[in-house]
Amino acid sequence: MRRWRLVLGDGGADGTGCGLTGRDAAMDGALEALYGKGSDGKGAEGGRRSAGLGASAPSVARWLGDIRTYFPSSVVQVMQRDAIDRLGLNSLLLEPEMLAAVEADVHLVGTLLSLNKVMPETTKETARAVVRKVVAELEKRLATRTRATLTGALDRSARIHRPRHRDIDWDRTIRANLKNYLPEYRTVVPERLIGYGRAAQSVKKEVVLCIDQSGSMAASVVYASVFGAVLASMRAIDTRLVVFDTSVVDLTDQMDDPVDVLFGTQLGGGTDINRALAYCQSRITRPAETVVVLISDLYEGGIRNEMLKRVAAMKAAGVQFVTLLALSDEGAPAYDREHAAALAALGAPAFACTPDLFPDVMAAALEKRPLPIPDMAEQR
């Protein structure tokens, strides 16, 4: 009954007959301020706004402190996101004291980036500290596995046929020589040796990350910036990072610091995928050794047919083309299904990708083998 009472709120007709005291009453107050009657911006009468938190920084700061006291971090992040969406608290995030009180996560970073243009100078340093904290946590979580996975892929893609003993790829060597199996000796005679190359000694592959910076892609921009920095740290991969809306910005020179990359983006605005791909295509010098990763929901504001022609031309030249509808943990996003189907027909299927799956997708692209495409129905 206590849990039902907390779920239903204090409407006087919840039917539980359960009263709340002490800590439970305080928890109920924090929930009521956000989810209670009128907290969605519609009052009980006349549609007038009557947000439960009030439109002041002190009351919101106290509420942020309360929810961090009563709820775990994962729940706090959800409630913060709901508060921003339901109560229009974006303006309060421009105050340094407010930023210091929030629980930082990817979604908050996206919100801060969208407010970057209107953010006062007194707040920007605090905002950068919040963003840097989130980025550092993401790098810690993702970097090691990404480097290990891609280093293996690069070594396998750089196979040589006169390898030294320690560089022999025994699995592929045996497969290539099965026709030379001698049953009486129960052995394979390896006429042709296949070995791993030493990819780390020079640049072997080129990767172009082409990222849609429209407002709906905020979380993807954050994750892509982190992965871009990880890829840029690998000597065997020459990485370029391009963001676009209706204009195109090359942020490759800032890629060593994901925070600089993120503050170089301008979330919001239109979308011109064709123009972005034209720029990326002009920077490709070794098509057969290049992977282009387009991260976009495919809502194209530019010339659709030209966009598809560019993808077809790049693939015909030998470019490995990967289309990610999202790079986040949010599941299957809204996307342009017609454009996704057209890309699939060109051999570039579009799918949503989680950050944990991204290293495997990139490894497959680098090795030119089928991509590990998740089931979109499961993502929903």
Side-chain angles (χ1 to χ4, degrees):
M1 286 300 99
R2 165 184 169 273
R3 292 174 68 85
W4 272 113
R5 168 60 185 78
L6 286 169
V7 168
L8 295 172
D10 185 15
D14 54 76
T16 63
C18 179
L20 300 176
T21 59
R23 183 182 178 87
D24 287 346
M27 289 175 63
D28 188 54
L31 292 167
E32 183 71 21
L34 177 56
Y35 301 111
K37 195 171 187 179
S39 62
D40 60 352
K42 295 180 181 179
E45 297 177 358
R48 295 184 62 191
R49 186 180 183 85
S50 58
L53 294 180
S56 68
S59 62
V60 178
R62 285 193 296 271
W63 178 80
L64 288 169
D66 287 345
I67 63 174
R68 293 173 75 172
T69 299
Y70 303 129
F71 303 101
S73 177
S74 58
V75 176
V76 169
Q77 291 173 5
V78 172
M79 294 180 73
Q80 285 179 172
R81 194 154 66 246
D82 286 349
I84 292 170
D85 293 341
R86 292 164 64 91
L87 305 179
L89 300 183
N90 287 354
S91 61
L92 294 180
L93 290 178
L94 303 180
E95 301 184 23
E97 297 80 4
M98 184 64 61
L99 280 180
V102 297
E103 189 80 20
D105 67 348
V106 170
H107 303 284
L108 178 65
V109 170
T111 301
L112 291 177
L113 295 178
S114 68
L115 297 172
N116 187 29
K117 286 185 178 179
V118 297
M119 191 176 291
E121 290 299 323
T122 55
T123 305
K124 284 189 176 180
E125 194 57 39
T126 306
R128 288 184 72 90
V130 171
V131 172
R132 191 170 296 281
K133 176 184 176 183
V134 174
V135 166
E137 291 173 352
L138 292 178
E139 282 190 297
K140 183 178 179 180
R141 168 189 155 195
L142 301 170
T144 300
R145 179 171 175 269
T146 299
R147 291 193 185 98
T149 301
L150 298 191
T151 297
L154 289 166
D155 286 341
R156 288 189 292 273
S157 69
R159 295 184 188 92
I160 54 178
H161 296 286
R162 298 185 63 184
R164 289 176 291 185
H165 184 271
R166 65 181 179 180
D167 293 330
I168 295 175
D169 182 340
W170 287 108
D171 182 63
R172 290 184 175 270
T173 295
I174 292 171
R175 289 175 183 272
N177 291 278
L178 284 176
K179 63 182 180 180
N180 301 320
Y181 178 65
L182 302 179
E184 63 273 27
Y185 295 104
R186 301 179 65 185
T187 190
V188 171
V189 178
E191 289 184 342
R192 183 164 66 95
L193 298 177
I194 299 175
Y196 301 129
R198 296 188 170 272
Q201 294 181 1
S202 62
V203 173
K204 298 294 183 181
K205 297 289 183 178
E206 297 180 9
V207 173
V208 180
L209 297 177
C210 186
I211 309 167
D212 184 345
Q213 61 176 350
S214 57
S216 60
M217 302 296 294
S220 298
V221 171
V222 176
Y223 280 114
S225 299
V226 172
F227 278 117
V230 175
L231 294 175
S233 71
M234 301 179 66
R235 293 173 55 194
I237 299 178
D238 184 9
T239 306
R240 182 175 295 276
L241 190 147
V242 176
V243 298
F244 68 93
D245 41 37
T246 52
S247 60
V248 180
V249 181
D250 192 327
L251 297 176
T252 302
D253 292 342
Q254 303 175 39
M255 207 160 34
D256 59 334
D257 188 345
V259 177
D260 286 342
V261 170
L262 289 171
F263 278 94
T265 62
Q266 300 179 29
L267 291 177
T271 307
D272 192 338
I273 303 173
N274 175 57
R275 185 174 183 179
L277 291 181
Y279 177 84
C280 295
Q281 187 178 24
S282 71
R283 295 301 186 271
I284 295 174
T285 57
R286 300 188 301 148
E289 304 300 329
T290 299
V291 178
V292 174
V293 183
L294 172 64
I295 304 175
S296 173
D297 54 17
L298 301 180
Y299 288 111
E300 171 66 318
I303 307 172
R304 174 185 185 273
N305 290 337
E306 288 298 315
M307 174 189 77
L308 296 176
K309 286 180 182 178
R310 290 192 189 283
V311 175
M314 282 188 274
K315 287 189 63 64
V319 172
Q320 297 296 301
F321 197 91
V322 179
T323 308
L324 302 182
L325 302 170
L327 178 56
S328 71
D329 290 311
E330 298 175 334
Y335 63 95
D336 189 306
R337 296 177 183 275
E338 183 179 349
H339 288 164
L343 287 172
L346 295 174
F351 57 95
C353 178
T354 64
D356 290 333
L357 180 63
F358 185 75
D360 296 324
V361 170
M362 288 302 301
L366 291 170
E367 293 184 65
K368 300 183 179 181
R369 54 183 173 82
L371 303 179
I373 301 174
D375 188 332
M376 293 291 281
E378 290 181 3
Q379 289 183 342
R380 294 188 188 96

